[in-house]
Amino acid sequence: MGLIIQKFGGTSLGDAEKIHRAARRAIRAKLEGNEVVVVVSAMGGSTDTLVDLAYQITDRPNRREMDQLLATGEQVSIALMAMSIHHAGHDAISLTGGQIGLRTDRTFGRARIREITQRGRIISLLKDGSIVIAAGFQGVDAGANITTLGRGGSDTTAVALAASLGADVCEIYTDVDGVYSTDPRIVPEARKLDYIFYDEMLELSSLGAQVMHSRSIELGKNYGVRIHVRSSYTDAKGTDIVKEWSDFDQVIVRGAALKRNLARVELTNVPHQPGIAGEVFTRVAERNVIVDDIIQVVHEGGNTADISFTIEAPEIEAAQALCDEMAVEMPGMTPEIKPHRAKVSVVGVGMRTHTGVASRMFESLHQADVNIENISTSEIVISCVIREADGERALRAVHAAFELEPS
Ligand code: ADP
Ligand code: ASP
Ligand code: MG
């Protein structure tokens, strides 16, 4: 007998039949002798509908009220899932984020989990024979405000519950049968992976692979949670997300990802003096704009420099306001924001010990006639900022260059 967390994504809960199918899976695990906690997302597409509704009311929805609104999607699914299990003649109880005591900080829209206080309550419900259905994506802060964990955040609720309850496995049921070498919707030749290391999955998720919420992988790694990503439609074995090992694994590049909806901020002719970069990025941070890929180039003569960085498209407005302010304070400095950018990346722990990955990636982009605007590297990642219109072609090119297709 074990304790299993089963998380069902929105695509697996699209209609009543799909909810019944997910419920049958949970019941089967229970009948096999396990204790089962089910974590559900909102029904497919419903979070997007709620976001649209908010923007029909105002183009600047209040962040607290946005979370209050978005959390309703998951509340619908927990109740329907519990009803489905009851309908099949089994015990189940639905609990919201607040009812499982999922405490977060107060960063509405991307809150971080602090603790799960109602562990005892969940355990006693399981011991009484119920399947516990928990709402993904939502929590409460210390002031009892409802918060959400960021789009795709139900994965993180599931892994946090698995860590807190000491579950044997956290199963992520979705509309693909595992983690692929890249998004199979864009590259049909993508290959399903039997396993992937936490660090690789973490990078792929942060770099655009929607299949897992990146914070869920951080948590999984820190608490050693066994995560298994698999299809909600078949019984095929999926992908294990596991701790790294060194023997036998000869893979250099495990996967590739595409992140869209980026913009590049370029500040040309910034005074080259101590403290300027500090000032620019303090002000960026004050506006809660998350930046990436910072580059500074000092001009000949050494009096001025160019600073550029990447932001996500929804932050363009905040970045523009900041640029306008700085242009007034730094005469001679010209800011420009280039929208419609994307980032294509390759990831693999094998890069630590192998050379030639960057050149192969750049050559494949050249062959695909993709212009690279910016390059960044870390120990296990190489990323290129490109025009968004080139994104899918670039992803297909690098995926083919590293022979990530099935052999
Ligand atoms: P859910 O609703 O189950 O949470 P998501 O839509 O969040 O599902 O994630 C599944 C989707 O992630 C897939 O349909 C697929 O298009 C996309 N995806 C992106 N990168 C990958 C990848 N490397 N492996 C598998 N799926 C990926
Ligand atoms: N329903 C939320 C979303 O669509 C959370 C999730 O699906 O994990 O982003
Ligand atoms: Mg998801």
Side-chain angles (χ1 to χ4, degrees):
M1 173 147 159
L3 171 55
I4 299 182
I5 311 290
Q6 296 188 332
K7 178 259 169 178
F8 294 93
T11 43
S12 308
L13 302 167
D15 54 32
E17 187 37 51
K18 286 183 177 164
I19 292 175
H20 282 315
R21 189 198 314 232
R24 283 196 293 274
R25 232 183 236 282
I27 292 166
R28 195 168 81 195
K30 177 90 197 333
L31 293 177
E32 284 166 2
N34 300 292
E35 292 174 330
V36 183
V37 176
V38 176
V39 174
V40 289
S41 299
M43 289 172 73
S46 69
T47 309
D48 290 335
T49 307
L50 292 169
V51 172
D52 281 355
L53 264 175
Y55 282 95
Q56 283 175 36
I57 299 287
T58 167
D59 55 2
R60 283 168 194 249
N62 174 279
R63 295 175 77 96
R64 177 187 183 278
E65 302 310 327
M66 194 68 172
D67 278 6
Q68 186 86 307
L69 175 71
L70 295 192
T72 61
E74 273 66 15
Q75 194 165 340
V76 170
S77 338
I78 51 171
L80 293 176
M81 177 63 81
M83 289 176 195
S84 171
I85 295 174
H86 296 159
H87 181 76
H90 296 269
D91 291 337
I93 178 164
S94 70
L95 300 172
T96 62
Q99 288 167 336
I100 59 169
L102 192 138
R103 283 286 193 86
T104 70
D105 64 15
R106 192 173 291 184
T107 324
F108 296 115
R110 50 170 186 250
R112 289 188 83 102
I113 300 176
R114 292 239 164 98
E115 58 175 337
I116 293 179
T117 60
Q118 297 298 310
R119 196 175 158 268
R121 178 180 185 186
I122 299 169
I123 291 171
S124 89
L125 287 166
L126 291 170
K127 297 281 174 242
D128 287 349
S130 273
I131 296 176
V132 173
I133 321 289
F137 178 56
Q138 53 174 262
V140 287
D141 74 358
N145 298 295
I146 292 180
T147 55
T148 66
L149 309 180
R151 296 302 306 268
S154 300
D155 299 327
T156 300
T157 306
V159 175
L161 273 169
S164 167
L165 299 170
D168 296 280
V169 60
C170 181
E171 296 180 332
I172 305 289
Y173 287 92
T174 184
D175 63 344
V176 276
D177 52 8
V179 177
Y180 278 68
S181 50
T182 195
D183 188 342
R185 271 192 241 178
I186 305 176
V187 185
E189 298 79 22
R191 182 164 50 92
K192 198 200 91 189
L193 305 173
D194 289 335
Y195 64 88
I196 182 168
F197 300 142
Y198 290 118
D199 285 339
E200 294 171 327
M201 191 68 240
L202 182 56
E203 294 289 359
L204 284 173
S205 307
S206 317
L207 293 164
Q210 190 191 340
V211 61
M212 290 296 292
H213 193 235
S214 61
R215 284 209 187 126
S216 71
I217 309 298
E218 265 171 39
L219 269 178
K221 182 183 175 191
N222 290 344
Y223 291 89
V225 176
R226 216 186 114 209
I227 303 174
H228 187 69
V229 183
R230 56 189 303 185
S231 165
S232 53
Y233 307 121
T234 73
D235 281 333
K237 186 180 172 306
T239 304
D240 286 313
I241 305 180
V242 293
K243 206 167 125 206
E244 194 176 325
W245 68 78
S246 53
D247 299 342
F248 312 118
D249 187 71
Q250 300 292 325
V251 173
I252 302 171
V253 170
R254 181 93 47 202
L258 179 67
K259 192 167 187 172
R260 303 177 218 244
N261 264 323
L262 302 177
R264 194 88 188 137
V265 180
E266 298 182 350
L267 308 176
T268 312
N269 286 329
V270 177
H272 182 48
Q273 291 160 9
I276 292 287
E279 193 188 320
V280 169
F281 289 104
T282 303
R283 293 170 67 164
V284 169
E286 277 165 8
R287 289 180 187 255
N288 275 323
V289 175
I290 296 175
V291 303
D292 209 352
D293 307 326
I294 300 170
I295 291 189
Q296 173 171 287
V297 183
V298 179
H299 294 165
E300 257 191 54
N303 294 328
T304 50
D306 298 343
I307 296 178
S308 57
F309 50 91
T310 309
I311 58 170
E312 305 213 353
E315 320 270 30
I316 288 180
E317 205 184 319
Q320 187 62 58
L322 185 71
C323 285
D324 295 345
E325 240 175 66
M326 287 191 301
V328 175
E329 291 162 25
M330 294 181 200
M333 187 276 276
T334 331
E336 189 186 354
I337 301 184
K338 292 186 171 159
H340 309 303
R341 267 31 191 190
K343 182 147 76 171
V344 63
S345 309
V346 295
V347 174
V349 296
M351 282 187 213
R352 291 188 190 127
T353 45
H354 289 78
T355 55
V357 179
S359 57
R360 205 191 306 178
M361 178 170 185
F362 304 154
E363 185 48 28
S364 69
L365 292 174
H366 169 210
Q367 293 297 329
D369 200 22
V370 175
N371 218 358
I372 303 171
E373 297 189 352
N374 178 50
I375 297 165
S376 55
T377 62
S378 74
E379 211 185 10
I380 66 165
V381 182
I382 302 176
S383 295
C384 298
V385 174
I386 56 176
R387 283 174 185 275
E388 191 155 23
D390 293 338
E392 297 198 354
R393 195 167 80 253
L395 185 66
R396 280 192 284 269
V398 299
H399 189 268
F402 289 99
E403 289 154 20
L404 296 172
E405 283 96 8
S407 44

